[in-house]
Amino acid sequence: VREIKVITNLLKANEEVSINNKQIFDEKGVYVVNLMSSPGSGKTSILEKVINYLKDEMKIAVIEGDIYTIKDAERINNLGIPVVQINTEGACHLDADMIKRASEELDLDNINILFIENVGNLVCPAEFEIGEDIKISVLSTTEGSDKPSKYPLMFERSKAVILNKIDLINYTNFNKEEFYKDVRALNEKIYMFETSCTKSEGIEELCSFIKDEMKKKTLI
Amino acid sequence: MKELIKVYMHEVSIIQELLDIVQNTAIENNLTKIDKIHLKIGELSGVLEDSLRFAYDCISNDTLANGSELFIETVEATGRCNRCNITFKIEHFNKLCPQCSKFCDSILSGYELSIYSIKGE
């Protein structure tokens, strides 16, 4: 019997494709945001607002991840933005290879920022790098303030967290203090935003953050 | 608007990757039978041992790893404080230096999801 040392990351295949994606995005000057949250927290609504705010300043494209439908992609398509739909047919997250194939459908030379809306799920998307510059997670007030402590990895890996449906907070038992405390304990440097898509609140702050991050990247 | 489709399952995909690595390593090293696979899984990786074992039992049958032992070593999560020059245990919700209470400067371990070695003949 022989023992052979292998010492290989089990997500190596995904990691390699992810690094390759990142290289292509960097060469083409495309800034990539991986947007993650549970279903129904408002990812698509936030995207619609952000797109409307930014579309006169920069060229935007979107990759929509969804298990079965093209409903979200249709909403983005209505804004006149290039969009590619990935249907995972049961899978719980997007992986680097899906993004590689989806991005081949886009004219990367004519895109400044690519938003990737991940499959609605607070668990698996956090484990898979897809070639993004930053991860942003969304939580809505109606989901409850205990979610960061129940699903820590996503908040740990995010550069920013958006607390959405802030206009509804008084109808819920959402504890903002607990939420911010938990998120900070997971990730001390995380940026935090509060938004309401129905009242169009907080979108400007969020967009300034995204623009600042894009600038930081081009300065490097 | 374009549509792409792909079928993909999470735990199974991790074990599939494992079996690919095991199979290739076995062939490169002229092993015809695998006795034991040693994994290192970080305690904060979010991967469940039971789910991994279940996926392993389901899809290892048709490979050289059929009947082998899946040994899972849990790796403790540790962080480092550069100011105090110490290494300490961290948790999801506590990454503060036990001496100066500053957030750790770097995370050293705890998020591993890797294959360490395989034993066979």
Side-chain angles (χ1 to χ4, degrees), chain A residues 35-71:
Chain A
L35 195 59
M36 306 180 295
S37 80
S38 40
S41 65
K43 287 187 295 301
T44 316
S45 298
I46 291 172
L47 263 184
E48 287 174 320
K49 291 285 173 188
V50 166
I51 287 168
N52 276 326
Y53 193 90
L54 292 176
K55 72 177 177 188
D56 294 335
E57 295 174 55
M58 56 182 83
K59 293 175 197 149
I60 307 172
V62 174
I63 294 176
E64 278 290 341
D66 195 56
I67 297 183
Y68 291 115
T69 77
I70 57 165
K71 287 173 193 283

PDB file of all heavy atoms in Angstrom, chain A residues 35-71:
ATOM      1  N   LEU A  35     -24.242  39.482  -7.617  1.00  0.00           N
ATOM      2  CA  LEU A  35     -25.315  39.894  -6.712  1.00  0.00           C
ATOM      3  C   LEU A  35     -26.024  38.648  -6.164  1.00  0.00           C
ATOM      4  O   LEU A  35     -26.537  37.836  -6.924  1.00  0.00           O
ATOM      5  CB  LEU A  35     -26.289  40.770  -7.504  1.00  0.00           C
ATOM      6  CG  LEU A  35     -27.304  41.609  -6.749  1.00  0.00           C
ATOM      7  CD1 LEU A  35     -26.631  42.586  -5.802  1.00  0.00           C
ATOM      8  CD2 LEU A  35     -28.193  42.364  -7.730  1.00  0.00           C
ATOM      9  N   MET A  36     -26.013  38.503  -4.834  1.00  0.00           N
ATOM     10  CA  MET A  36     -26.533  37.278  -4.222  1.00  0.00           C
ATOM     11  C   MET A  36     -27.554  37.598  -3.127  1.00  0.00           C
ATOM     12  O   MET A  36     -27.404  38.579  -2.412  1.00  0.00           O
ATOM     13  CB  MET A  36     -25.381  36.512  -3.566  1.00  0.00           C
ATOM     14  CG  MET A  36     -24.214  36.220  -4.486  1.00  0.00           C
ATOM     15  SD  MET A  36     -22.905  35.309  -3.641  1.00  0.00           S
ATOM     16  CE  MET A  36     -22.366  36.514  -2.439  1.00  0.00           C
ATOM     17  N   SER A  37     -28.553  36.717  -3.009  1.00  0.00           N
ATOM     18  CA  SER A  37     -29.524  36.853  -1.919  1.00  0.00           C
ATOM     19  C   SER A  37     -30.474  35.676  -1.970  1.00  0.00           C
ATOM     20  O   SER A  37     -30.403  34.859  -2.885  1.00  0.00           O
ATOM     21  CB  SER A  37     -30.349  38.133  -2.074  1.00  0.00           C
ATOM     22  OG  SER A  37     -31.374  37.924  -3.027  1.00  0.00           O
ATOM     23  N   SER A  38     -31.403  35.621  -1.010  1.00  0.00           N
ATOM     24  CA  SER A  38     -32.439  34.602  -1.094  1.00  0.00           C
ATOM     25  C   SER A  38     -33.494  35.034  -2.118  1.00  0.00           C
ATOM     26  O   SER A  38     -33.537  36.199  -2.520  1.00  0.00           O
ATOM     27  CB  SER A  38     -33.061  34.350   0.281  1.00  0.00           C
ATOM     28  OG  SER A  38     -33.217  35.553   0.957  1.00  0.00           O
ATOM     29  N   PRO A  39     -34.376  34.113  -2.522  1.00  0.00           N
ATOM     30  CA  PRO A  39     -35.409  34.488  -3.496  1.00  0.00           C
ATOM     31  C   PRO A  39     -36.347  35.544  -2.913  1.00  0.00           C
ATOM     32  O   PRO A  39     -36.710  35.462  -1.740  1.00  0.00           O
ATOM     33  CB  PRO A  39     -36.181  33.188  -3.737  1.00  0.00           C
ATOM     34  CG  PRO A  39     -35.334  32.090  -3.195  1.00  0.00           C
ATOM     35  CD  PRO A  39     -34.488  32.698  -2.121  1.00  0.00           C
ATOM     36  N   GLY A  40     -36.685  36.534  -3.714  1.00  0.00           N
ATOM     37  CA  GLY A  40     -37.694  37.501  -3.281  1.00  0.00           C
ATOM     38  C   GLY A  40     -37.187  38.657  -2.443  1.00  0.00           C
ATOM     39  O   GLY A  40     -37.972  39.444  -1.923  1.00  0.00           O
ATOM     40  N   SER A  41     -35.872  38.772  -2.293  1.00  0.00           N
ATOM     41  CA  SER A  41     -35.362  39.864  -1.460  1.00  0.00           C
ATOM     42  C   SER A  41     -35.260  41.161  -2.265  1.00  0.00           C
ATOM     43  O   SER A  41     -35.085  42.227  -1.682  1.00  0.00           O
ATOM     44  CB  SER A  41     -33.996  39.497  -0.907  1.00  0.00           C
ATOM     45  OG  SER A  41     -33.111  39.384  -1.981  1.00  0.00           O
ATOM     46  N   GLY A  42     -35.355  41.040  -3.606  1.00  0.00           N
ATOM     47  CA  GLY A  42     -35.373  42.258  -4.422  1.00  0.00           C
ATOM     48  C   GLY A  42     -34.146  42.480  -5.293  1.00  0.00           C
ATOM     49  O   GLY A  42     -33.883  43.617  -5.695  1.00  0.00           O
ATOM     50  N   LYS A  43     -33.411  41.436  -5.610  1.00  0.00           N
ATOM     51  CA  LYS A  43     -32.211  41.597  -6.460  1.00  0.00           C
ATOM     52  C   LYS A  43     -32.562  42.250  -7.800  1.00  0.00           C
ATOM     53  O   LYS A  43     -31.906  43.190  -8.225  1.00  0.00           O
ATOM     54  CB  LYS A  43     -31.569  40.231  -6.780  1.00  0.00           C
ATOM     55  CG  LYS A  43     -30.847  39.581  -5.635  1.00  0.00           C
ATOM     56  CD  LYS A  43     -30.109  38.320  -6.081  1.00  0.00           C
ATOM     57  CE  LYS A  43     -31.007  37.197  -6.566  1.00  0.00           C
ATOM     58  NZ  LYS A  43     -31.977  36.705  -5.604  1.00  0.00           N
ATOM     59  N   THR A  44     -33.591  41.733  -8.454  1.00  0.00           N
ATOM     60  CA  THR A  44     -33.924  42.245  -9.788  1.00  0.00           C
ATOM     61  C   THR A  44     -34.444  43.674  -9.700  1.00  0.00           C
ATOM     62  O   THR A  44     -34.111  44.518 -10.532  1.00  0.00           O
ATOM     63  CB  THR A  44     -34.948  41.325 -10.482  1.00  0.00           C
ATOM     64  OG1 THR A  44     -34.557  39.971 -10.280  1.00  0.00           O
ATOM     65  CG2 THR A  44     -35.015  41.602 -11.969  1.00  0.00           C
ATOM     66  N   SER A  45     -35.241  43.953  -8.670  1.00  0.00           N
ATOM     67  CA  SER A  45     -35.753  45.324  -8.515  1.00  0.00           C
ATOM     68  C   SER A  45     -34.616  46.299  -8.266  1.00  0.00           C
ATOM     69  O   SER A  45     -34.605  47.417  -8.813  1.00  0.00           O
ATOM     70  CB  SER A  45     -36.738  45.391  -7.341  1.00  0.00           C
ATOM     71  OG  SER A  45     -37.835  44.560  -7.604  1.00  0.00           O
ATOM     72  N   ILE A  46     -33.635  45.891  -7.453  1.00  0.00           N
ATOM     73  CA  ILE A  46     -32.480  46.758  -7.206  1.00  0.00           C
ATOM     74  C   ILE A  46     -31.716  46.974  -8.507  1.00  0.00           C
ATOM     75  O   ILE A  46     -31.337  48.102  -8.846  1.00  0.00           O
ATOM     76  CB  ILE A  46     -31.561  46.158  -6.110  1.00  0.00           C
ATOM     77  CG1 ILE A  46     -32.262  46.219  -4.752  1.00  0.00           C
ATOM     78  CG2 ILE A  46     -30.215  46.879  -6.055  1.00  0.00           C
ATOM     79  CD1 ILE A  46     -31.544  45.497  -3.634  1.00  0.00           C
ATOM     80  N   LEU A  47     -31.540  45.889  -9.255  1.00  0.00           N
ATOM     81  CA  LEU A  47     -30.835  46.005 -10.541  1.00  0.00           C
ATOM     82  C   LEU A  47     -31.535  46.986 -11.472  1.00  0.00           C
ATOM     83  O   LEU A  47     -30.889  47.822 -12.105  1.00  0.00           O
ATOM     84  CB  LEU A  47     -30.780  44.635 -11.226  1.00  0.00           C
ATOM     85  CG  LEU A  47     -29.509  43.825 -11.051  1.00  0.00           C
ATOM     86  CD1 LEU A  47     -29.591  42.549 -11.866  1.00  0.00           C
ATOM     87  CD2 LEU A  47     -28.302  44.649 -11.496  1.00  0.00           C
ATOM     88  N   GLU A  48     -32.861  46.890 -11.539  1.00  0.00           N
ATOM     89  CA  GLU A  48     -33.615  47.813 -12.406  1.00  0.00           C
ATOM     90  C   GLU A  48     -33.343  49.260 -12.013  1.00  0.00           C
ATOM     91  O   GLU A  48     -33.116  50.119 -12.868  1.00  0.00           O
ATOM     92  CB  GLU A  48     -35.120  47.524 -12.299  1.00  0.00           C
ATOM     93  CG  GLU A  48     -35.535  46.240 -12.995  1.00  0.00           C
ATOM     94  CD  GLU A  48     -37.008  45.898 -12.743  1.00  0.00           C
ATOM     95  OE1 GLU A  48     -37.491  46.089 -11.600  1.00  0.00           O
ATOM     96  OE2 GLU A  48     -37.665  45.439 -13.672  1.00  0.00           O
ATOM     97  N   LYS A  49     -33.366  49.516 -10.696  1.00  0.00           N
ATOM     98  CA  LYS A  49     -33.135  50.881 -10.214  1.00  0.00           C
ATOM     99  C   LYS A  49     -31.714  51.333 -10.517  1.00  0.00           C
ATOM    100  O   LYS A  49     -31.484  52.465 -10.967  1.00  0.00           O
ATOM    101  CB  LYS A  49     -33.384  50.951  -8.694  1.00  0.00           C
ATOM    102  CG  LYS A  49     -34.827  50.775  -8.295  1.00  0.00           C
ATOM    103  CD  LYS A  49     -35.610  52.035  -8.612  1.00  0.00           C
ATOM    104  CE  LYS A  49     -37.101  51.805  -8.386  1.00  0.00           C
ATOM    105  NZ  LYS A  49     -37.912  52.927  -8.866  1.00  0.00           N
ATOM    106  N   VAL A  50     -30.751  50.453 -10.247  1.00  0.00           N
ATOM    107  CA  VAL A  50     -29.344  50.799 -10.458  1.00  0.00           C
ATOM    108  C   VAL A  50     -29.068  51.031 -11.943  1.00  0.00           C
ATOM    109  O   VAL A  50     -28.367  51.978 -12.316  1.00  0.00           O
ATOM    110  CB  VAL A  50     -28.429  49.682  -9.874  1.00  0.00           C
ATOM    111  CG1 VAL A  50     -26.999  49.826 -10.356  1.00  0.00           C
ATOM    112  CG2 VAL A  50     -28.482  49.713  -8.346  1.00  0.00           C
ATOM    113  N   ILE A  51     -29.646  50.196 -12.781  1.00  0.00           N
ATOM    114  CA  ILE A  51     -29.453  50.343 -14.230  1.00  0.00           C
ATOM    115  C   ILE A  51     -29.990  51.695 -14.694  1.00  0.00           C
ATOM    116  O   ILE A  51     -29.320  52.436 -15.412  1.00  0.00           O
ATOM    117  CB  ILE A  51     -30.134  49.181 -14.992  1.00  0.00           C
ATOM    118  CG1 ILE A  51     -29.331  47.897 -14.797  1.00  0.00           C
ATOM    119  CG2 ILE A  51     -30.286  49.508 -16.479  1.00  0.00           C
ATOM    120  CD1 ILE A  51     -30.043  46.644 -15.260  1.00  0.00           C
ATOM    121  N   ASN A  52     -31.188  52.037 -14.246  1.00  0.00           N
ATOM    122  CA  ASN A  52     -31.760  53.324 -14.649  1.00  0.00           C
ATOM    123  C   ASN A  52     -30.910  54.493 -14.182  1.00  0.00           C
ATOM    124  O   ASN A  52     -30.799  55.507 -14.868  1.00  0.00           O
ATOM    125  CB  ASN A  52     -33.191  53.454 -14.119  1.00  0.00           C
ATOM    126  CG  ASN A  52     -34.173  52.769 -15.051  1.00  0.00           C
ATOM    127  OD1 ASN A  52     -33.978  52.768 -16.275  1.00  0.00           O
ATOM    128  ND2 ASN A  52     -35.203  52.163 -14.488  1.00  0.00           N
ATOM    129  N   TYR A  53     -30.286  54.326 -13.031  1.00  0.00           N
ATOM    130  CA  TYR A  53     -29.463  55.400 -12.478  1.00  0.00           C
ATOM    131  C   TYR A  53     -28.136  55.543 -13.228  1.00  0.00           C
ATOM    132  O   TYR A  53     -27.634  56.646 -13.423  1.00  0.00           O
ATOM    133  CB  TYR A  53     -29.197  55.125 -10.993  1.00  0.00           C
ATOM    134  CG  TYR A  53     -28.629  56.306 -10.263  1.00  0.00           C
ATOM    135  CD1 TYR A  53     -29.453  57.242  -9.652  1.00  0.00           C
ATOM    136  CD2 TYR A  53     -27.247  56.498 -10.203  1.00  0.00           C
ATOM    137  CE1 TYR A  53     -28.934  58.333  -8.997  1.00  0.00           C
ATOM    138  CE2 TYR A  53     -26.712  57.590  -9.546  1.00  0.00           C
ATOM    139  CZ  TYR A  53     -27.563  58.504  -8.945  1.00  0.00           C
ATOM    140  OH  TYR A  53     -27.031  59.587  -8.305  1.00  0.00           O
ATOM    141  N   LEU A  54     -27.569  54.385 -13.629  1.00  0.00           N
ATOM    142  CA  LEU A  54     -26.206  54.399 -14.193  1.00  0.00           C
ATOM    143  C   LEU A  54     -26.141  54.371 -15.720  1.00  0.00           C
ATOM    144  O   LEU A  54     -25.090  54.593 -16.292  1.00  0.00           O
ATOM    145  CB  LEU A  54     -25.402  53.198 -13.653  1.00  0.00           C
ATOM    146  CG  LEU A  54     -25.041  53.181 -12.164  1.00  0.00           C
ATOM    147  CD1 LEU A  54     -24.330  51.865 -11.832  1.00  0.00           C
ATOM    148  CD2 LEU A  54     -24.156  54.365 -11.790  1.00  0.00           C
ATOM    149  N   LYS A  55     -27.264  54.075 -16.378  1.00  0.00           N
ATOM    150  CA  LYS A  55     -27.147  53.723 -17.793  1.00  0.00           C
ATOM    151  C   LYS A  55     -26.720  54.863 -18.712  1.00  0.00           C
ATOM    152  O   LYS A  55     -26.217  54.604 -19.804  1.00  0.00           O
ATOM    153  CB  LYS A  55     -28.417  53.032 -18.303  1.00  0.00           C
ATOM    154  CG  LYS A  55     -29.623  53.908 -18.461  1.00  0.00           C
ATOM    155  CD  LYS A  55     -30.777  53.066 -19.046  1.00  0.00           C
ATOM    156  CE  LYS A  55     -32.022  53.903 -19.144  1.00  0.00           C
ATOM    157  NZ  LYS A  55     -33.192  53.087 -19.517  1.00  0.00           N
ATOM    158  N   ASP A  56     -26.896  56.118 -18.274  1.00  0.00           N
ATOM    159  CA  ASP A  56     -26.422  57.221 -19.116  1.00  0.00           C
ATOM    160  C   ASP A  56     -24.923  57.445 -18.960  1.00  0.00           C
ATOM    161  O   ASP A  56     -24.296  58.105 -19.793  1.00  0.00           O
ATOM    162  CB  ASP A  56     -27.167  58.514 -18.756  1.00  0.00           C
ATOM    163  CG  ASP A  56     -28.652  58.409 -19.101  1.00  0.00           C
ATOM    164  OD1 ASP A  56     -28.977  57.605 -20.009  1.00  0.00           O
ATOM    165  OD2 ASP A  56     -29.460  59.090 -18.451  1.00  0.00           O
ATOM    166  N   GLU A  57     -24.350  56.927 -17.867  1.00  0.00           N
ATOM    167  CA  GLU A  57     -22.923  57.155 -17.599  1.00  0.00           C
ATOM    168  C   GLU A  57     -22.047  56.025 -18.102  1.00  0.00           C
ATOM    169  O   GLU A  57     -20.842  56.208 -18.292  1.00  0.00           O
ATOM    170  CB  GLU A  57     -22.678  57.257 -16.087  1.00  0.00           C
ATOM    171  CG  GLU A  57     -23.317  58.426 -15.426  1.00  0.00           C
ATOM    172  CD  GLU A  57     -23.126  58.347 -13.923  1.00  0.00           C
ATOM    173  OE1 GLU A  57     -21.977  58.247 -13.463  1.00  0.00           O
ATOM    174  OE2 GLU A  57     -24.145  58.350 -13.200  1.00  0.00           O
ATOM    175  N   MET A  58     -22.589  54.830 -18.219  1.00  0.00           N
ATOM    176  CA  MET A  58     -21.738  53.680 -18.575  1.00  0.00           C
ATOM    177  C   MET A  58     -22.550  52.619 -19.297  1.00  0.00           C
ATOM    178  O   MET A  58     -23.778  52.634 -19.282  1.00  0.00           O
ATOM    179  CB  MET A  58     -21.102  53.101 -17.314  1.00  0.00           C
ATOM    180  CG  MET A  58     -22.096  52.709 -16.244  1.00  0.00           C
ATOM    181  SD  MET A  58     -21.290  52.098 -14.769  1.00  0.00           S
ATOM    182  CE  MET A  58     -20.884  53.622 -13.916  1.00  0.00           C
ATOM    183  N   LYS A  59     -21.790  51.703 -19.945  1.00  0.00           N
ATOM    184  CA  LYS A  59     -22.448  50.615 -20.674  1.00  0.00           C
ATOM    185  C   LYS A  59     -22.593  49.414 -19.745  1.00  0.00           C
ATOM    186  O   LYS A  59     -21.606  48.919 -19.191  1.00  0.00           O
ATOM    187  CB  LYS A  59     -21.637  50.252 -21.913  1.00  0.00           C
ATOM    188  CG  LYS A  59     -21.625  51.365 -22.939  1.00  0.00           C
ATOM    189  CD  LYS A  59     -20.708  50.992 -24.083  1.00  0.00           C
ATOM    190  CE  LYS A  59     -20.348  52.223 -24.893  1.00  0.00           C
ATOM    191  NZ  LYS A  59     -19.001  52.093 -25.470  1.00  0.00           N
ATOM    192  N   ILE A  60     -23.822  48.975 -19.626  1.00  0.00           N
ATOM    193  CA  ILE A  60     -24.150  47.937 -18.648  1.00  0.00           C
ATOM    194  C   ILE A  60     -24.614  46.676 -19.365  1.00  0.00           C
ATOM    195  O   ILE A  60     -25.264  46.759 -20.415  1.00  0.00           O
ATOM    196  CB  ILE A  60     -25.284  48.430 -17.718  1.00  0.00           C
ATOM    197  CG1 ILE A  60     -24.921  49.790 -17.091  1.00  0.00           C
ATOM    198  CG2 ILE A  60     -25.591  47.403 -16.629  1.00  0.00           C
ATOM    199  CD1 ILE A  60     -26.041  50.435 -16.312  1.00  0.00           C
ATOM    200  N   ALA A  61     -24.289  45.518 -18.792  1.00  0.00           N
ATOM    201  CA  ALA A  61     -24.872  44.250 -19.256  1.00  0.00           C
ATOM    202  C   ALA A  61     -25.201  43.403 -18.034  1.00  0.00           C
ATOM    203  O   ALA A  61     -24.686  43.649 -16.944  1.00  0.00           O
ATOM    204  CB  ALA A  61     -23.909  43.507 -20.168  1.00  0.00           C
ATOM    205  N   VAL A  62     -26.074  42.426 -18.230  1.00  0.00           N
ATOM    206  CA  VAL A  62     -26.530  41.600 -17.100  1.00  0.00           C
ATOM    207  C   VAL A  62     -26.531  40.125 -17.501  1.00  0.00           C
ATOM    208  O   VAL A  62     -26.898  39.781 -18.623  1.00  0.00           O
ATOM    209  CB  VAL A  62     -27.960  42.022 -16.667  1.00  0.00           C
ATOM    210  CG1 VAL A  62     -28.506  41.079 -15.603  1.00  0.00           C
ATOM    211  CG2 VAL A  62     -27.976  43.457 -16.153  1.00  0.00           C
ATOM    212  N   ILE A  63     -26.085  39.276 -16.571  1.00  0.00           N
ATOM    213  CA  ILE A  63     -26.299  37.832 -16.705  1.00  0.00           C
ATOM    214  C   ILE A  63     -27.271  37.443 -15.598  1.00  0.00           C
ATOM    215  O   ILE A  63     -27.035  37.737 -14.423  1.00  0.00           O
ATOM    216  CB  ILE A  63     -24.983  37.037 -16.573  1.00  0.00           C
ATOM    217  CG1 ILE A  63     -24.054  37.347 -17.745  1.00  0.00           C
ATOM    218  CG2 ILE A  63     -25.271  35.528 -16.506  1.00  0.00           C
ATOM    219  CD1 ILE A  63     -22.680  36.682 -17.648  1.00  0.00           C
ATOM    220  N   GLU A  64     -28.364  36.829 -15.991  1.00  0.00           N
ATOM    221  CA  GLU A  64     -29.402  36.450 -15.036  1.00  0.00           C
ATOM    222  C   GLU A  64     -29.316  34.955 -14.755  1.00  0.00           C
ATOM    223  O   GLU A  64     -29.401  34.144 -15.676  1.00  0.00           O
ATOM    224  CB  GLU A  64     -30.784  36.759 -15.622  1.00  0.00           C
ATOM    225  CG  GLU A  64     -31.222  38.202 -15.484  1.00  0.00           C
ATOM    226  CD  GLU A  64     -31.525  38.574 -14.037  1.00  0.00           C
ATOM    227  OE1 GLU A  64     -31.739  37.669 -13.218  1.00  0.00           O
ATOM    228  OE2 GLU A  64     -31.537  39.775 -13.733  1.00  0.00           O
ATOM    229  N   GLY A  65     -29.189  34.593 -13.489  1.00  0.00           N
ATOM    230  CA  GLY A  65     -29.214  33.183 -13.118  1.00  0.00           C
ATOM    231  C   GLY A  65     -30.563  32.857 -12.525  1.00  0.00           C
ATOM    232  O   GLY A  65     -31.081  33.584 -11.682  1.00  0.00           O
ATOM    233  N   ASP A  66     -31.174  31.798 -13.013  1.00  0.00           N
ATOM    234  CA  ASP A  66     -32.476  31.424 -12.510  1.00  0.00           C
ATOM    235  C   ASP A  66     -32.617  29.919 -12.692  1.00  0.00           C
ATOM    236  O   ASP A  66     -32.008  29.345 -13.592  1.00  0.00           O
ATOM    237  CB  ASP A  66     -33.561  32.158 -13.316  1.00  0.00           C
ATOM    238  CG  ASP A  66     -34.907  32.111 -12.618  1.00  0.00           C
ATOM    239  OD1 ASP A  66     -34.975  32.540 -11.465  1.00  0.00           O
ATOM    240  OD2 ASP A  66     -35.878  31.632 -13.225  1.00  0.00           O
ATOM    241  N   ILE A  67     -33.405  29.280 -11.846  1.00  0.00           N
ATOM    242  CA  ILE A  67     -33.505  27.831 -11.987  1.00  0.00           C
ATOM    243  C   ILE A  67     -34.284  27.484 -13.257  1.00  0.00           C
ATOM    244  O   ILE A  67     -33.824  26.695 -14.066  1.00  0.00           O
ATOM    245  CB  ILE A  67     -34.092  27.202 -10.708  1.00  0.00           C
ATOM    246  CG1 ILE A  67     -33.111  27.474  -9.546  1.00  0.00           C
ATOM    247  CG2 ILE A  67     -34.285  25.701 -10.888  1.00  0.00           C
ATOM    248  CD1 ILE A  67     -33.483  26.881  -8.218  1.00  0.00           C
ATOM    249  N   TYR A  68     -35.442  28.085 -13.450  1.00  0.00           N
ATOM    250  CA  TYR A  68     -36.231  27.717 -14.631  1.00  0.00           C
ATOM    251  C   TYR A  68     -36.644  28.849 -15.572  1.00  0.00           C
ATOM    252  O   TYR A  68     -36.651  28.679 -16.771  1.00  0.00           O
ATOM    253  CB  TYR A  68     -37.499  26.966 -14.204  1.00  0.00           C
ATOM    254  CG  TYR A  68     -37.210  25.613 -13.640  1.00  0.00           C
ATOM    255  CD1 TYR A  68     -37.485  25.312 -12.314  1.00  0.00           C
ATOM    256  CD2 TYR A  68     -36.656  24.619 -14.440  1.00  0.00           C
ATOM    257  CE1 TYR A  68     -37.190  24.060 -11.792  1.00  0.00           C
ATOM    258  CE2 TYR A  68     -36.364  23.367 -13.931  1.00  0.00           C
ATOM    259  CZ  TYR A  68     -36.635  23.095 -12.597  1.00  0.00           C
ATOM    260  OH  TYR A  68     -36.345  21.864 -12.096  1.00  0.00           O
ATOM    261  N   THR A  69     -37.021  30.013 -15.041  1.00  0.00           N
ATOM    262  CA  THR A  69     -37.739  30.956 -15.908  1.00  0.00           C
ATOM    263  C   THR A  69     -36.842  32.012 -16.548  1.00  0.00           C
ATOM    264  O   THR A  69     -35.666  32.139 -16.198  1.00  0.00           O
ATOM    265  CB  THR A  69     -38.831  31.718 -15.124  1.00  0.00           C
ATOM    266  OG1 THR A  69     -38.187  32.734 -14.342  1.00  0.00           O
ATOM    267  CG2 THR A  69     -39.635  30.799 -14.253  1.00  0.00           C
ATOM    268  N   ILE A  70     -37.418  32.779 -17.467  1.00  0.00           N
ATOM    269  CA  ILE A  70     -36.710  33.922 -18.037  1.00  0.00           C
ATOM    270  C   ILE A  70     -37.375  35.234 -17.598  1.00  0.00           C
ATOM    271  O   ILE A  70     -37.169  36.279 -18.184  1.00  0.00           O
ATOM    272  CB  ILE A  70     -36.665  33.851 -19.590  1.00  0.00           C
ATOM    273  CG1 ILE A  70     -38.077  33.767 -20.184  1.00  0.00           C
ATOM    274  CG2 ILE A  70     -35.855  32.648 -20.065  1.00  0.00           C
ATOM    275  CD1 ILE A  70     -38.113  34.056 -21.679  1.00  0.00           C
ATOM    276  N   LYS A  71     -38.167  35.165 -16.519  1.00  0.00           N
ATOM    277  CA  LYS A  71     -38.920  36.346 -16.077  1.00  0.00           C
ATOM    278  C   LYS A  71     -38.007  37.532 -15.738  1.00  0.00           C
ATOM    279  O   LYS A  71     -38.290  38.669 -16.109  1.00  0.00           O
ATOM    280  CB  LYS A  71     -39.762  36.004 -14.853  1.00  0.00           C
ATOM    281  CG  LYS A  71     -40.975  35.134 -15.150  1.00  0.00           C
ATOM    282  CD  LYS A  71     -41.648  34.703 -13.841  1.00  0.00           C
ATOM    283  CE  LYS A  71     -42.662  33.608 -14.029  1.00  0.00           C
ATOM    284  NZ  LYS A  71     -43.940  34.059 -14.587  1.00  0.00           N
TER     285      LYS A  71
END
